[in-house]
Amino acid sequence: AANEVAGAAIGYQAFWDAHSKNLTLEMAGRYDTSNKSNSDIGIGFQYQQWFGRRIQWQVDGFYAFQENRDNGFGLRTEILYQF
């Protein structure tokens, strides 16, 4: 339940090449205050790059260290065309 946890997150974002590329890094934690041992820590990233004025490539990924459960991970990518 939401009233039985405490959490925090911190992140950093950097830009390059006149803002046509950027990288975001994040880390977050969730502490279970109900003593059920379901605390988690996660790390993630997002990279975006523009090609010209209309095409953007993006890739996202994360890894979650979970107490008393299997760790989770994911990766996704997309190409966006704006018209």
Side-chain angles (χ1 to χ4, degrees):
N3 62 344
E4 296 177 333
V5 297
I10 189 167
Y12 176 77
Q13 186 173 24
F15 294 91
W16 299 279
D17 294 336
H19 289 234
S20 66
K21 300 175 186 175
N22 75 71
L23 176 67
T24 303
L25 302 171
E26 295 181 330
M27 184 170 55
R30 176 184 168 275
Y31 178 73
D32 186 352
T33 60
S34 69
N35 296 321
K36 294 180 183 173
S37 298
N38 289 325
S39 299
D40 308 314
I41 294 175
I43 56 174
F45 75 92
Q46 180 183 70
Y47 177 78
Q48 296 177 324
Q49 180 172 345
W50 284 93
F51 297 99
R53 294 182 59 153
R54 298 184 178 267
I55 299 173
Q56 176 188 337
W57 174 57
Q58 178 177 317
V59 62
D60 307 289
F62 74 92
Y63 195 90
F65 303 92
Q66 302 180 98
E67 191 175 29
N68 294 327
R69 295 174 284 170
D70 291 338
N71 291 342
F73 60 91
L75 183 68
R76 76 180 269 289
T77 188
E78 72 178 46
I79 296 174
L80 174 68
Y81 180 80
Q82 295 182 347
F83 55 94

